[in-house]
Amino acid sequence: MARLLYIPSATLFFFLSFTAVLFTVACAAEEEAHGFLQSQRAVKKPVREKLSHLRFYWHDVISGPSPSAVRVAEAASSNASTTAFGVVVMMDDPVTLGPELTSRLVGRAQGFYAFASKEESALLMAMNFAFVEGKYNGSTIAVLGRNAVFSGVREMPVVGGSGLFRLARGYAQARTYSFDTNTGDTVVEYNLFVTHY
C-alpha cells in the first residue's frame, strides 16, 4: 500500500512562494526585452559642455508676391483689436549673417508666432532655427517664449536643439533692427547664448 508523504504547511508555503517569485522574475525579464526600457547602462557623457554665442538677422517678410510669413488663423475680434489679439502667423523666415536680406543665408526660422496679449503687442514665439551653413548645417535650435515686440531687448528661452545642439539650453535676445511701417516687414537681430554638448 502506498504511503502518503507528509509535507509541513510552512515548507509547502515556502516552496510555492519561491516558485511564484521565480516565475514572476522570468516573465518580467521577458517583457523588459520588448518593453519601453531598452537599457539601464549609463550613457557616457561627452567630455564637457560648450557655450556658443550665435548672432544673426531674422527677416520677417509679410509683403510682396512671396512672403515668408503668412497669417493662418485669427479670431472674429482680431481685426478690431489694437494688439491683433488672436492672430496666428506661420513663418519660414530667412536668417542671414548681416542685416540685409541679400546677406549670406545661414538658416531658416521655421514655426509660428501668435499675438497673445490683449493689453500690448506681445507674441508667443515657437520656432526652430534650422541652420544650413558650415559645421552647423542640419542642426537646429528651438526657441519658445514671450516676445514683447516694442521692448528694446526681448529675452526668450532656448528649450532644445538637434545635431550639434543636442540637449541645448540657454536664451535668445532679440532686438529690432528695422521695421517698415508701410509693408510690415521686420528685421530682428538675434543673439543666442546656448550651452550644449
Side-chain angles (χ1 to χ4, degrees):
M1 179 172 174
R3 287 178 39 192
L4 293 174
L5 180 65
Y6 172 73
I7 301 174
S9 59
T11 306
L12 183 61
F13 175 76
F14 174 76
F15 176 75
L16 292 175
S17 298
F18 183 72
T19 305
V21 168
L22 285 177
F23 180 74
T24 304
V25 169
C27 289
E30 180 66 26
E31 281 183 24
E32 189 172 296
H34 304 290
F36 176 73
L37 180 63
Q38 294 299 309
S39 173
Q40 289 184 335
R41 287 176 294 154
V43 177
K44 187 174 180 182
K45 284 179 82 172
V47 177
R48 64 182 179 88
E49 288 183 308
K50 299 181 231 77
L51 175 63
S52 296
H53 173 205
L54 294 95
R55 179 173 172 260
F56 46 76
Y57 292 85
W58 175 85
H59 300 266
D60 195 50
V61 180
I62 62 173
S63 66
S66 182
S68 62
V70 294
R71 185 182 288 209
V72 294
E74 62 184 39
S77 60
S78 293
N79 288 330
S81 170
T82 57
T83 63
F85 178 64
V87 170
V88 179
V89 176
M90 190 64 67
M91 64 175 154
D92 183 11
D93 289 338
V95 172
T96 62
L97 199 56
E100 299 80 22
L101 189 54
T102 55
S103 182
R104 188 170 76 197
L105 183 75
V106 295
R108 311 285 304 181
Q110 298 170 330
F112 71 88
Y113 54 86
F115 291 81
S117 175
K118 294 169 76 173
E119 306 299 324
E120 63 177 316
S121 291
L123 309 174
L124 163 65
M125 305 283 295
M127 64 181 163
N128 284 310
F129 289 111
F131 298 105
V132 298
E133 174 73 17
K135 70 176 184 176
Y136 298 129
N137 184 20
S139 297
T140 66
I141 294 176
V143 173
L144 174 67
R146 183 177 190 268
N147 183 351
V149 296
F150 290 119
S151 297
V153 179
R154 289 89 69 192
E155 189 171 294
M156 292 166 278
V158 168
V159 296
S162 66
L164 291 180
F165 296 110
R166 286 185 189 126
L167 300 175
R169 63 191 190 283
Y171 63 96
Q173 288 184 331
R175 293 175 177 84
T176 301
Y177 178 84
S178 67
F179 174 68
D180 189 322
T181 55
N182 294 323
T183 63
D185 295 349
T186 308
V187 179
V188 177
E189 176 189 338
Y190 270 88
N191 281 275
L192 272 59
F193 298 89
V194 182
T195 303
H196 59 98
Y197 290 102

